[in-house]
Amino acid sequence: MMLSRVAENIYWTARYLERVENTARLVAVHSEIRLDRPDRAGFFWEPVLTITETLGEFEARGLRRTERDAINFLLTDLQNPSSLLASCVYARENIRTLMEILPRESWEAVNGLHHAAARPGAGAPQQRDVYLREIIERSQAMVGLFLGAMNDDAGYAILRQGRAIERSNFTVQVLRDALVRIGDGTGDMQALRAAEWVGVLKSLTAYQMYRRSLRGPVTRVGVSRFLIFSQVFPRALAYCVNEAGQALGRLPNADLPAAAVARLAGELDAVERTGAEADGIGDLLSAAQAQLSDIHDAVCSAYFTPFTEVPAVAGQTQAQPA
C-alpha cells in the first residue's frame, strides 16, 4: 500500500484538476448567457460565486460587484484559494511530488495547463472564450493521460475517488443553485426559463446527452432527474456515487468510506424508485451534499495522515499542509 502522503496528494490532484475544468466551463457558460440575457436583474455573476461557495469571501474583501472583479476573482486571483489559477498551482505542486507514481508526461501537461491559466489578460471579454476552451481541453487531456497511462492499481483508485467526489459535489452545487434561481415559467417566460435550464446542462457538459436520453422540452424536473439519477451520464450524481464505490472496491481498509457511499447510493435508489416530488428535490440535494462530505471525511480518515487544515471549497476541508 502506498504512503498516506502519496495517496493524499493523488486524491487532491484529481480534485484540483476537476475543479479547474468545472470552473472554466461554468464561467464560459455564464459568459454566453450574459450575451443572451444582458437585461437579467441583479449582480449577474452572483450565481457563479454561489456555486463555487466564494460569494462570502468576494464580499468580505470588498470587491466590486462588476464583471471585471468577479472574473478576475474566479479565474486568476491567487488570494482566492478556489480560483482557477490557484487550483492549477495546487495541482502542479502535488504532481511535482508524484513523479514516481503518475505518468511523467503529466508534469509537462500540468505545466502547460498552469502556463495557460496564468496568461495575463485572458479573462478579458475578447480573449475569454479562447482562454477557457484551452483550459478545458488541457484539463480533459490530463484525464485521458491518466486513464491511458496509469496502472489500474491503488493509486488510480484514489485518483478516481477524488474525481468522483469533486464532480458529484459540483453537480449538486450547480443544481441546488438552479432550483432556487430558475422556475419553469409560463408563456414567454417558459422559453426564457428553458434557456436557463439549458445553461445548467451545459455547465455540466450534459446538454447533448440529456437530449439523447429524454424527449420533449427542457424542464426543471427533467433536468433534475437526469442530473441526479442517471446511471450512464458521467457527471450525474448517481453515476459519480457508483464510481466512488467501484474505486473503493480496489482499495484495502475501505469499510468506513464504502459504508458511507452505500448509504448515499441506497437513498438515491430509494428516492428514484418512489419518485421524487418536485418540491423535495432541494431537500434531497441538501442531504446528498452532507453525505458527500461524510464520504470525503471517511476517505481522509482511512487513507490520509492528518495535517494542518486549510480551507477548501464546497463545504469540505483539505488535509494538505498549510
Side-chain angles (χ1 to χ4, degrees), residues 27-259:
V27 172
V29 169
H30 277 260
S31 296
E32 292 178 10
I33 295 173
R34 176 69 161 166
L35 297 176
D36 295 334
R37 294 286 308 278
D39 58 338
R40 195 167 81 180
F43 177 35
F44 185 85
W45 293 96
E46 185 169 335
V48 180
L49 295 167
T50 299
I51 290 168
T52 57
E53 292 199 321
T54 56
L55 179 59
E57 182 181 352
F58 181 86
E59 293 179 336
R61 286 175 51 186
L63 297 173
R64 295 170 298 171
R65 295 168 71 87
T66 63
E67 177 167 320
R68 180 176 180 178
D69 276 16
I71 291 297
N72 288 341
F73 178 78
L74 288 163
L75 297 183
T76 58
D77 188 345
L78 288 175
Q79 294 183 60
N80 171 17
S82 301
S83 72
L84 187 151
L85 180 56
S87 295
C88 286
V89 170
Y90 300 147
R92 181 175 180 271
E93 179 59 23
N94 279 339
I95 290 177
R96 184 186 64 79
T97 71
L98 297 168
M99 299 291 286
E100 299 301 319
I101 306 296
L102 300 181
R104 301 241 170 175
E105 296 88 344
S106 64
W107 177 242
E108 180 179 348
V110 78
N111 276 300
L113 175 62
H114 177 265
H115 179 75
R119 189 177 303 136
Q126 64 272 23
Q127 301 182 49
R128 192 182 307 159
D129 181 64
V130 173
Y131 166 77
L132 293 172
R133 286 179 184 273
E134 181 179 356
I135 296 298
I136 292 169
E137 289 171 0
R138 286 181 178 275
S139 300
Q140 291 175 334
M142 293 198 68
V143 173
L145 174 62
F146 294 139
L147 176 63
M150 279 188 75
N151 286 340
D152 190 6
D153 56 11
Y156 190 61
I158 288 287
L159 187 134
R160 288 174 63 195
Q161 185 72 27
R163 184 171 61 224
I165 290 177
E166 185 70 26
R167 186 173 285 183
S168 56
N169 195 78
F170 182 70
T171 296
V172 169
Q173 286 292 101
V174 169
L175 196 47
R176 287 186 70 187
D177 169 76
L179 289 170
V180 172
R181 186 168 47 85
I182 312 170
D184 283 325
T186 57
D188 292 340
M189 289 301 296
Q190 186 172 14
L192 290 175
R193 295 293 183 256
E196 295 264 17
W197 282 110
V198 169
V200 171
L201 290 168
K202 288 182 176 180
S203 296
L204 296 161
T205 190
Y207 179 61
Q208 183 181 357
M209 296 303 105
Y210 174 89
R211 300 299 293 180
R212 284 191 60 190
S213 301
L214 299 174
R215 304 294 181 183
V218 177
T219 64
R220 178 180 64 165
V221 173
V223 172
S224 298
R225 291 190 63 83
F226 179 75
L227 293 178
I228 294 172
F229 300 119
S230 175
Q231 298 285 342
V232 294
F233 179 63
R235 295 181 185 276
L237 176 59
Y239 185 100
C240 291
V241 172
N242 289 338
E243 174 79 359
Q246 291 172 15
L248 287 169
R250 306 299 298 270
L251 295 170
N253 307 318
D255 291 350
L256 184 61

Side-chain angles (χ1 to χ4, degrees), residues 8 11-12 15-16 19 52-54 56-57 73 78-83 86-87 90 94 166 296-297 300 307-322:
E8 181 184 32
Y11 175 85
W12 281 107
R15 294 201 62 164
Y16 287 132
R19 196 172 295 175
T52 57
E53 292 199 321
T54 56
E57 182 181 352
F73 178 78
L78 288 175
Q79 294 183 60
N80 171 17
S82 301
S83 72
S87 295
Y90 300 147
N94 279 339
E166 185 70 26
H296 165 80
D297 291 343
C300 291
F307 293 104
T308 304
E309 294 181 352
V310 298
V313 302
Q316 302 189 3
T317 300
Q318 176 179 335
Q320 294 266 35

